[in-house]
Amino acid sequence: MIQTLRPYQSQAIAEARDALRVHHRVLIVAPTGAGKTSIAADIIRRAVERGGRVWFLAHRKELIDQASARLDQFGINHGVIMAQHWRDRPHERVQVASVQTLVNRDVDIRPSLIIIDEAHRATANSYQTVIENAGKPRVIGLTATPIRGDGKGLASMFDAMVQCPTIGELMRDGYLVPDRAFAGKRVDLAGVEVRGSDYDPTQLNDAMNKPHLIGDVVSEWRRLAAGRPTMVFAAGVKHSKTLVEAFLAAGIAAAHLDGETPKQEREAILKRLADGRLTVVSNAMVLTEGVDVPVVSCVVLARPTKSKGLYLQMAGRGLRTAPGKQDCLILDHGNCTMEHGLVRRDQNWQLTEDAQRRRGKQVSYAETFKVCPDCGAVHELQDEACPCGYRFAARAKQKQLKVYNGVLEEVTEQRVREYTESQRKAKYFRLLHEQHTGTKKDGSPFSRGYAFVKYEAMFKMRPESGWREEWNDRNPKLMADYADAWLDWLRNQEPQSCTCHMGHPPCGWCTSPNRAEQDFAA
């Protein structure tokens, strides 16, 4: 049975076919939810009609079973090469194969085409061994994120790349639901080392498994996403279990998954999430690939990651369409938006390593969006208002500080008069939000005078009387968290290292816990 393909899927198949006439190995990039398995199934059908033999390679049993089920939908006869699998049919022209099994098994019949699922893994030695043993046939790779775990491209494996529409384009065309991102407070990663290309998993698990962080995840979910089917991505097994305990204590039906969860139990948990018997499923690095639960309309990123691929894989779990589903909320407690940018931003994928990464430049996305100071929603710079009711100050032409060859443009009195009082007030509130939720480069909190000094430098005047009290009244939790962070940080300073914002010589005066408490009580 021939399934009806989406227009962009047919186009990707045609472009891949043309590329294979010139190149030996071609990569197809399609975002999560774009239908990679449907693309693969149609390519396989066409290859078999021409008398070819095809291997579809995957690295996990769930992906193998998923591919096998999709081939059944297309009416394609096939076998499965995997230890003790019930569908062992070596005579079939199409085989869905486990990479791990093929590495250790001598197969007499060789394929004319190999299709690799989750092809960002294809640079591993196991895949290379399988391709070599198969006689180096043509290869098509499929992935949503064409980068390795260390951020490098896949040029060592593939010769050409075919790109389906981006996440943003699929959202605009209605194939994916739009995302709404909410940025949480910046997490303190002091002491968490980077191992290889990402944070040390054990240290990250401990750093994120703090009572106040756990409480933030639950309270923010209840404030923003209560009742939505939700996937939570935790920093580790211990962290995930603690999060589930917190959700259960709050009366929310939740369950935990990890790599040790038996397959049948895992499938049962996901089925309960899909039919509404569970509201929240938390996991530790299990649901990032090959999971299709379209009803999920909230994704909680309860962990940071240095990997853009992992970030997009996690966020992508909630972008599939479903009846009655309007959007997907992404609650970012791991600074992922700051690290990698908005999910809906179109990615400029390349097979080669990113030029900025080669030069060792740190790419920052913090200035590519703005955050609502009332609800924490992340917005494009051109957005004028937040759904919560907050209105951003108008971004008039040439009213912001600009940098020309490292020189700041002076803020003149004429430019100050161009701002209305409401615009200056909105800017002050944004500075206060930044002061209470951000940190300096060394991880320490901003000083108590940060917003005041920034505002005064920008407008050559002081904030209006009463603005600070108004912001304080609207944000009591941020005030309390900020005070606690300052006290904790001050108590940990060396006595000889004065860190007070008042600028007096190093004397240890402001690092005393008693002095710090008096300062906040004032």
Side-chain angles (χ1 to χ4, degrees):
M1 178 179 65
I2 299 178
Q3 297 264 331
T4 302
L5 296 175
R6 297 171 181 174
Y8 67 84
Q9 293 172 334
S10 298
Q11 181 177 348
I13 293 169
E15 291 181 10
R17 185 173 61 248
D18 291 341
L20 280 176
R21 295 191 178 104
V22 180
H23 303 286
H24 203 73
R25 300 177 180 181
V26 175
L27 180 67
I28 298 177
V29 179
T32 300
K36 291 185 293 295
T37 312
S38 294
I39 291 174
D42 194 71
I43 291 174
I44 292 171
R45 178 184 63 79
R46 293 167 184 263
V48 171
E49 287 177 353
R50 296 192 300 271
R53 291 184 177 273
V54 184
W55 286 357
F56 182 94
L57 304 186
H59 69 286
R60 281 175 35 202
K61 187 177 187 302
E62 291 80 9
L63 299 176
I64 289 170
D65 289 340
Q66 184 183 83
S68 177
R70 189 58 57 89
L71 291 178
D72 282 338
Q73 293 176 3
F74 273 71
I76 299 173
N77 296 326
H78 63 281
V80 173
I81 301 175
M82 186 176 182
Q84 299 179 343
H85 198 281
W86 64 272
R87 201 162 189 160
D88 182 16
R89 301 175 182 175
H91 60 280
E92 297 288 0
R93 304 187 70 85
V94 178
Q95 298 291 327
V96 180
S98 162
V99 174
Q100 293 85 351
T101 300
L102 281 178
V103 168
N104 301 307
R105 182 180 295 185
D106 186 17
V107 181
D108 295 331
I109 302 176
R110 295 180 174 181
S112 56
L113 173 67
I114 287 180
I115 297 178
I116 302 177
D117 194 22
E118 306 296 347
H120 48 276
R121 299 174 176 272
T123 56
N125 290 335
S126 55
Y127 287 90
Q128 301 303 316
T129 300
V130 170
I131 293 171
E132 289 288 334
N133 292 342
K136 299 182 179 180
R138 299 283 184 181
V139 176
I140 294 178
L142 293 165
T143 184
T145 51
I147 48 177
R148 303 185 334 185
D150 57 7
K152 295 181 180 180
L154 301 178
S156 63
M157 177 65 192
F158 295 98
D159 308 314
M161 181 166 65
V162 172
Q163 295 195 55
C164 290
T166 63
I167 290 177
E169 290 169 337
L170 291 175
M171 287 178 178
R172 290 190 286 273
D173 293 341
Y175 294 114
L176 297 177
V177 298
D179 67 312
R180 292 173 56 204
F182 290 81
K185 294 179 297 184
R186 292 193 180 186
V187 295
D188 181 11
L189 296 177
V192 179
E193 300 175 358
V194 176
R195 302 287 188 188
S197 59
D198 211 341
Y199 296 106
D200 179 272
T202 301
Q203 295 176 2
L204 183 63
N205 193 28
D206 293 339
M208 300 300 296
N209 201 28
K210 303 289 178 62
H212 67 282
L213 294 178
I214 299 294
D216 283 344
V217 170
V218 177
S219 63
E220 287 300 285
W221 182 88
R222 296 182 72 176
R223 179 174 74 90
L224 297 166
R228 287 183 177 238
T230 300
M231 281 188 185
V232 178
F233 290 89
V237 174
K238 182 180 178 182
H239 183 217
S240 179
K241 290 180 177 179
T242 306
L243 283 167
V244 168
E245 290 172 0
F247 275 108
L248 291 173
I252 300 157
H256 158 81
L257 287 177
D258 60 53
E260 301 300 319
T261 305
K263 178 179 179 294
Q264 289 185 338
E265 182 181 348
R266 182 187 307 176
E267 292 176 348
I269 289 173
L270 292 177
K271 187 175 186 303
R272 286 159 58 200
L273 177 64
D275 63 24
R277 287 176 291 164
L278 278 177
T279 305
V280 175
V281 170
S282 180
N283 79 106
M285 295 301 293
V286 171
L287 304 180
T288 56
E289 297 174 337
V291 177
D292 186 1
V293 188
V295 298
V296 169
S297 60
C298 176
V299 173
V300 178
L301 306 180
R303 56 153 299 162
T305 178
K306 290 285 187 182
S307 168
K308 177 181 284 191
L310 177 57
Y311 163 57
L312 294 176
Q313 292 279 9
M314 292 188 295
R317 296 306 116 193
L319 300 181
R320 296 179 187 274
T321 59
K325 183 176 173 180
Q326 300 295 319
D327 56 22
C328 174
L329 302 188
I330 298 175
L331 309 188
D332 180 9
H333 294 268
N335 303 343
C336 295
T337 309
M338 295 285 186
E339 182 88 18
H340 305 292
L342 290 163
V343 171
R344 59 181 173 271
R345 281 284 172 85
D346 292 342
Q347 303 294 333
N348 182 25
W349 296 120
Q350 303 175 56
L351 279 178
T352 54
E353 184 180 358
D354 182 76
Q356 289 180 310
R357 185 181 292 272
R358 278 202 308 273
R359 293 193 296 267
K361 294 182 64 176
Q362 178 65 39
V363 182
S364 174
Y365 295 87
E367 299 301 322
T368 66
F369 53 80
K370 56 189 177 185
V371 179
C372 174
D374 282 357
C375 71
V378 180
H379 291 270
E380 300 285 0
L381 292 176
Q382 68 269 20
D383 291 350
E384 297 180 354
C386 180
C388 75
Y390 180 84
R391 296 195 65 81
F392 295 100
R395 300 179 68 245
K397 186 177 181 181
Q398 294 185 346
K399 288 186 180 179
Q400 292 187 340
L401 291 177
K402 297 185 182 295
V403 178
Y404 298 103
N405 297 324
V407 179
L408 289 177
E409 181 183 6
E410 182 181 1
V411 181
T412 64
E413 291 185 7
Q414 173 62 35
R415 292 192 61 214
V416 170
R417 287 196 294 270
E418 291 177 355
Y419 287 90
T420 66
E421 180 175 320
S422 62
Q423 289 172 336
R424 288 188 285 108
K425 179 180 179 181
K427 182 63 179 179
Y428 183 54
F429 279 11
R430 288 180 63 187
L431 289 170
L432 285 170
H433 185 268
E434 182 178 351
Q435 172 182 314
H436 285 70
T437 60
T439 60
K440 301 177 185 177
K441 289 183 179 180
D442 63 0
S444 62
F446 285 122
S447 71
R448 294 180 63 201
Y450 173 84
F452 181 93
V453 171
K454 284 277 190 179
Y455 180 93
E456 191 174 39
M458 183 175 294
F459 297 109
K460 304 300 183 183
M461 63 175 66
R462 295 186 174 189
E464 299 293 332
S465 175
W467 284 0
R468 178 61 188 257
E469 288 73 20
E470 179 182 343
W471 190 89
N472 291 353
D473 292 341
R474 291 166 66 178
N475 298 274
K477 187 175 185 302
L478 287 181
M479 287 287 296
D481 291 343
Y482 177 71
D484 289 343
W486 248 92
L487 288 174
D488 289 344
W489 186 75
L490 288 173
R491 290 191 181 104
N492 291 328
Q493 301 309 299
E494 294 293 332
Q496 70 273 17
S497 174
C498 175
T499 56
C500 173
H501 64 277
M502 298 182 68
H504 50 69
C507 61
W509 176 76
C510 70
T511 59
S512 160
N514 291 335
R515 172 66 195 117
E517 289 164 2
Q518 293 168 11
D519 197 22
F520 275 108

